[in-house]
PDB file of all heavy atoms in Angstrom:
ATOM      1  N   ASN A 111      -2.392  -5.470 -12.117  1.00 98.00           N
ATOM      2  CA  ASN A 111      -3.245  -5.649 -10.933  1.00 98.00           C
ATOM      3  C   ASN A 111      -4.237  -6.797 -11.097  1.00 98.00           C
ATOM      4  O   ASN A 111      -4.524  -7.492 -10.125  1.00 98.00           O
ATOM      5  CB  ASN A 111      -3.980  -4.346 -10.612  1.00 98.00           C
ATOM      6  CG  ASN A 111      -3.019  -3.202 -10.304  1.00 98.00           C
ATOM      7  OD1 ASN A 111      -1.800  -3.386 -10.343  1.00 98.00           O
ATOM      8  ND2 ASN A 111      -3.539  -2.035 -10.019  1.00 98.00           N
ATOM      9  N   VAL A 112      -4.755  -6.975 -12.308  1.00 98.00           N
ATOM     10  CA  VAL A 112      -5.747  -8.038 -12.502  1.00 98.00           C
ATOM     11  C   VAL A 112      -5.051  -9.321 -12.978  1.00 98.00           C
ATOM     12  O   VAL A 112      -5.106 -10.365 -12.309  1.00 98.00           O
ATOM     13  CB  VAL A 112      -6.832  -7.610 -13.520  1.00 98.00           C
ATOM     14  CG1 VAL A 112      -7.924  -8.679 -13.582  1.00 98.00           C
ATOM     15  CG2 VAL A 112      -7.429  -6.258 -13.144  1.00 98.00           C
ATOM     16  N   MET A 113      -4.358  -9.236 -14.132  1.00 98.00           N
ATOM     17  CA  MET A 113      -3.770 -10.455 -14.690  1.00 98.00           C
ATOM     18  C   MET A 113      -2.633 -10.972 -13.812  1.00 98.00           C
ATOM     19  O   MET A 113      -2.492 -12.185 -13.606  1.00 98.00           O
ATOM     20  CB  MET A 113      -3.303 -10.189 -16.118  1.00 98.00           C
ATOM     21  CG  MET A 113      -4.501  -9.871 -17.022  1.00 98.00           C
ATOM     22  SD  MET A 113      -4.062  -9.131 -18.590  1.00 98.00           S
ATOM     23  CE  MET A 113      -3.327 -10.490 -19.425  1.00 98.00           C
ATOM     24  N   GLY A 114      -1.830 -10.071 -13.268  1.00 98.00           N
ATOM     25  CA  GLY A 114      -0.729 -10.494 -12.380  1.00 98.00           C
ATOM     26  C   GLY A 114      -1.264 -11.210 -11.149  1.00 98.00           C
ATOM     27  O   GLY A 114      -0.730 -12.243 -10.723  1.00 98.00           O
ATOM     28  N   THR A 115      -2.336 -10.675 -10.569  1.00 99.00           N
ATOM     29  CA  THR A 115      -2.934 -11.326  -9.385  1.00 99.00           C
ATOM     30  C   THR A 115      -3.453 -12.708  -9.759  1.00 99.00           C
ATOM     31  O   THR A 115      -3.281 -13.681  -9.014  1.00 99.00           O
ATOM     32  CB  THR A 115      -4.076 -10.451  -8.827  1.00 99.00           C
ATOM     33  OG1 THR A 115      -3.522  -9.190  -8.438  1.00 99.00           O
ATOM     34  CG2 THR A 115      -4.742 -11.111  -7.625  1.00 99.00           C
ATOM     35  N   GLN A 116      -4.066 -12.820 -10.932  1.00 98.00           N
ATOM     36  CA  GLN A 116      -4.630 -14.111 -11.341  1.00 98.00           C
ATOM     37  C   GLN A 116      -3.520 -15.153 -11.554  1.00 98.00           C
ATOM     38  O   GLN A 116      -3.681 -16.319 -11.195  1.00 98.00           O
ATOM     39  CB  GLN A 116      -5.477 -13.915 -12.600  1.00 98.00           C
ATOM     40  CG  GLN A 116      -6.413 -15.076 -12.875  1.00 98.00           C
ATOM     41  CD  GLN A 116      -5.936 -15.905 -14.057  1.00 98.00           C
ATOM     42  OE1 GLN A 116      -5.297 -15.384 -14.965  1.00 98.00           O
ATOM     43  NE2 GLN A 116      -6.256 -17.179 -14.051  1.00 98.00           N
ATOM     44  N   VAL A 117      -2.372 -14.718 -12.077  1.00 98.00           N
ATOM     45  CA  VAL A 117      -1.237 -15.652 -12.223  1.00 98.00           C
ATOM     46  C   VAL A 117      -0.787 -16.139 -10.838  1.00 98.00           C
ATOM     47  O   VAL A 117      -0.576 -17.344 -10.619  1.00 98.00           O
ATOM     48  CB  VAL A 117      -0.069 -14.961 -12.976  1.00 98.00           C
ATOM     49  CG1 VAL A 117       1.200 -15.794 -12.862  1.00 98.00           C
ATOM     50  CG2 VAL A 117      -0.429 -14.726 -14.438  1.00 98.00           C
ATOM     51  N   LEU A 118      -0.680 -15.232  -9.880  1.00 98.00           N
ATOM     52  CA  LEU A 118      -0.262 -15.632  -8.525  1.00 98.00           C
ATOM     53  C   LEU A 118      -1.266 -16.599  -7.904  1.00 98.00           C
ATOM     54  O   LEU A 118      -0.895 -17.564  -7.236  1.00 98.00           O
ATOM     55  CB  LEU A 118      -0.129 -14.394  -7.622  1.00 98.00           C
ATOM     56  CG  LEU A 118       1.068 -13.479  -7.887  1.00 98.00           C
ATOM     57  CD1 LEU A 118       0.934 -12.197  -7.069  1.00 98.00           C
ATOM     58  CD2 LEU A 118       2.383 -14.184  -7.523  1.00 98.00           C
ATOM     59  N   LEU A 119      -2.564 -16.320  -8.131  1.00 98.00           N
ATOM     60  CA  LEU A 119      -3.597 -17.210  -7.591  1.00 98.00           C
ATOM     61  C   LEU A 119      -3.474 -18.605  -8.196  1.00 98.00           C
ATOM     62  O   LEU A 119      -3.583 -19.614  -7.489  1.00 98.00           O
ATOM     63  CB  LEU A 119      -4.990 -16.629  -7.874  1.00 98.00           C
ATOM     64  CG  LEU A 119      -5.371 -15.377  -7.083  1.00 98.00           C
ATOM     65  CD1 LEU A 119      -6.628 -14.747  -7.669  1.00 98.00           C
ATOM     66  CD2 LEU A 119      -5.572 -15.700  -5.605  1.00 98.00           C
TER      67      LEU A 119
END
Side-chain angles (χ1 to χ4, degrees):
N111 299 1
V112 186
M113 295 165 71
T115 299
Q116 197 253 330
V117 168
L118 288 171
L119 289 168

